[in-house]
Amino acid sequence: MKQLIICALGAFLLVGCSSKAPSAGSQQAYVLNDHEEGITSVPGSEFNRSLIASVDDYTGTRAGGDCSGFITVLNDKYDDLFFNSKDLPKYFTNGRKSQAIYNYYSRKNLLSNTPRVGDLVFFQNTLRSNKGKVNNEISHIGIVREIYADGRVKFVHNTRGRNQADFVNLNKKNVHVAGQKMENSYIVRCGKDRISCLASNRFAGYGRVNN
């Protein structure tokens, strides 16, 4: 049995991929007891294990400075694994790099609703300016770290300048916590019991990485 302790952080602002999470007192620490180990690497993929080891090394650090900056750090380390750095500028449709990366994957038909460890995960409508309105623009990005049999996906992303792990479960879209399991983290700050602010309800797709 694997025990993971996830402490939800306080309210945060993402520079360049702006988003808010609940205040520090509104979420508790949950012990995540799983009967099965999460899938942590693509079978037979030594490269993927190396990538995930790097993700673990960066978790808890400020590497990247914001969400797209964190992915860029990994992209540079692994020789343009996620996107071609020289090619990316032509995919910008607004000032956000997270949107440009999403456009890159969309035009190459690499978007999916089925995750693999090491894939990117995109979220939409997480900006402060989205409060009360929806424009479906991509504004946040992370990387899939672990996949569980019950559909939960642990991803690592940069929030308020620090890299941390959170969860999304599309099989339980409107559930924040079930028992002692975090099903869906809050990806933006909302009022009490606002299910629209869960990661599952701001999910926009997985970016399939060919590693």
Side-chain angles (χ1 to χ4, degrees):
M1 179 178 294
K2 186 174 184 177
Q3 290 192 331
L4 299 171
I5 298 179
I6 302 298
C7 295
L9 295 184
F12 60 94
L13 176 64
L14 301 173
V15 180
C17 41
S18 186
S19 168
K20 279 190 174 182
S23 61
S26 64
Q27 296 196 69
Q28 303 174 19
Y30 295 95
V31 178
L32 308 172
N33 296 311
D34 292 289
H35 296 294
E36 296 182 86
E37 293 281 331
I39 299 172
T40 59
S41 62
V42 175
S45 175
E46 293 293 337
F47 185 83
N48 184 272
R49 281 189 282 272
S50 174
L51 170 64
I52 294 307
S54 292
V55 171
D56 289 345
D57 288 342
Y58 287 129
T59 301
T61 74
R62 297 186 178 277
D66 66 10
C67 66
S68 56
F70 172 49
I71 300 303
T72 299
V73 167
L74 292 169
N75 193 64
D76 292 344
K77 182 172 183 176
Y78 287 94
D79 299 321
D80 282 359
L81 169 64
F82 298 116
F83 54 85
N84 185 310
S85 300
K86 294 181 179 179
D87 215 23
L88 191 65
K90 68 183 182 183
Y91 293 93
F92 274 81
T93 52
N94 54 34
R96 289 188 295 278
K97 194 171 187 177
S98 55
Q99 178 73 65
I101 298 171
Y102 179 88
N103 294 342
Y104 181 93
Y105 279 77
S106 178
R107 295 181 195 179
K108 293 180 180 296
N109 296 314
L110 292 173
L111 293 177
S112 173
N113 286 324
T114 304
R116 300 183 313 177
V117 172
D119 283 352
L120 298 181
V121 57
F122 298 97
F123 298 94
Q124 59 192 357
N125 303 317
T126 64
L127 299 170
R128 284 186 298 174
S129 59
N130 288 129
K131 188 174 183 179
K133 62 181 180 179
V134 174
N135 60 17
N136 296 325
E137 291 185 351
I138 304 302
S139 48
H140 197 57
I141 186 173
I143 182 170
V144 174
R145 170 61 183 83
E146 201 160 1
I147 303 168
Y148 295 85
D150 61 4
R152 288 185 309 135
V153 173
K154 181 165 78 172
F155 64 96
V156 176
H157 60 143
N158 187 293
T159 76
R160 204 179 183 182
R162 186 175 294 276
N163 303 313
Q164 72 173 53
D166 276 303
F167 289 85
V168 60
N169 188 349
L170 299 181
N171 293 336
K172 297 182 179 180
K173 288 192 66 176
N174 297 328
V175 178
H176 174 41
V177 173
Q180 289 186 302
K181 286 186 179 182
M182 179 76 74
E183 299 289 352
N184 287 286
S185 304
Y186 283 107
I187 199 74
V188 294
R189 177 191 284 181
C190 278
K192 186 177 180 180
D193 298 327
R194 288 289 298 277
I195 61 176
S196 68
C197 299
L198 296 174
S200 53
N201 290 316
R202 303 301 173 104
F203 171 82
Y206 295 107
R208 182 55 55 88
V209 176
N210 296 317
N211 58 8

